[in-house]
Amino acid sequence: MTDTTVGVIAMSLSTSVENYLSDSHIGYKVLEHPYSYNAIQTAKISHITPAHLAKAVVVKAGATYLMCVLPASHVLVLNWIDRDYSAGHSGHHQLVTEEELKGLFPDCELGAIPALGQAFDMKVVWDSSLRHADEVYLEAGDHRHIFQLSGQGFIEVMEKSDHATISCTPDTLKFYQHLH
């Protein structure tokens, strides 16, 4: 277990995430970076490989929400989510609105949602490509901080969640969108 960073920087971590990690006895480190607008920019300015920065994409089918956790270098393939996670739901999954995100993640800024739905009592599925990373980074809840988990810490956090191939690189999305 890694030491938890404390002090002024730690206050920038979402309270929900901080409480969840503390209750789960998962070590983490909070890192500050210049303001960023999206996950790829965050990875670039933080000098992190985009494949090791986990981003959250929240979808819903009916009234059921699902957080999809995938590398910043990838895009979600909704067809795969529909295929594997639509049991009992009518219709297809769709991205949630900004208004819904505000209600679901009240202690986070829009566009900086931590990829840790468990901390918000949300069902999670994570992309299998993240399981081999030595370190995984996640948004901390604002546009100036991320937090780092060891690869093992990430696996421990995600152990009760499903993992599957749910994303691909942007250059291959067109091909996969049409496969069911």
Side-chain angles (χ1 to χ4, degrees):
M1 182 164 64
T2 320
D3 289 335
T4 302
T5 301
V6 294
V8 177
I9 292 177
M11 297 303 293
S12 297
L13 183 62
S14 155
T15 303
S16 299
V17 170
E18 185 173 19
N19 291 339
Y20 182 84
L21 293 172
S22 176
D23 291 347
S24 300
H25 306 288
I26 303 291
Y28 62 92
K29 182 178 180 182
V30 175
L31 305 167
E32 189 170 11
H33 61 77
Y35 190 94
S36 62
Y37 294 96
N38 60 47
I40 290 293
Q41 186 182 39
T42 298
K44 182 178 179 180
I45 63 177
S46 299
H47 307 289
I48 297 169
T49 303
H52 291 174
L53 177 63
K55 67 179 178 181
V57 178
V58 181
V59 298
K60 70 175 181 175
T64 303
Y65 294 96
L66 176 66
M67 177 179 284
C68 303
V69 177
L70 51 143
S73 57
H74 285 56
V75 292
L76 183 65
V77 182
L78 281 172
N79 292 348
W80 294 345
I81 297 297
D82 287 341
R83 178 193 64 209
D84 297 337
Y85 295 95
S86 287
H89 303 291
S90 59
H92 298 285
H93 285 87
Q94 58 188 357
L95 297 176
V96 299
T97 66
E98 286 189 358
E99 284 304 312
E100 287 172 297
L101 288 174
K102 287 179 190 177
L104 293 168
F105 306 97
D107 63 347
C108 300
E109 295 176 12
L110 283 178
I113 305 299
L116 194 60
Q118 302 88 329
F120 302 92
D121 296 320
M122 184 175 291
K123 183 176 177 169
V124 174
V125 59
W126 56 283
D127 194 274
S128 297
S129 65
L130 291 164
R131 73 176 175 252
H132 300 296
D134 292 333
E135 298 173 331
V136 179
Y137 300 84
L138 300 90
E139 294 285 355
D142 66 19
H143 291 277
R144 295 185 56 81
H145 297 89
I146 55 176
F147 67 101
Q148 173 189 6
L149 297 172
S150 68
Q152 183 58 40
F154 179 77
I155 297 297
E156 287 176 30
V157 166
M158 296 293 171
E159 72 182 345
K160 294 180 183 171
S161 300
D162 289 346
H163 67 90
T165 301
I166 60 171
S167 68
C168 65
T169 56
D171 59 327
T172 60
L173 180 63
K174 185 176 180 178
F175 174 75
Y176 290 125
Q177 282 180 321
H178 302 293
L179 295 179
H180 294 281

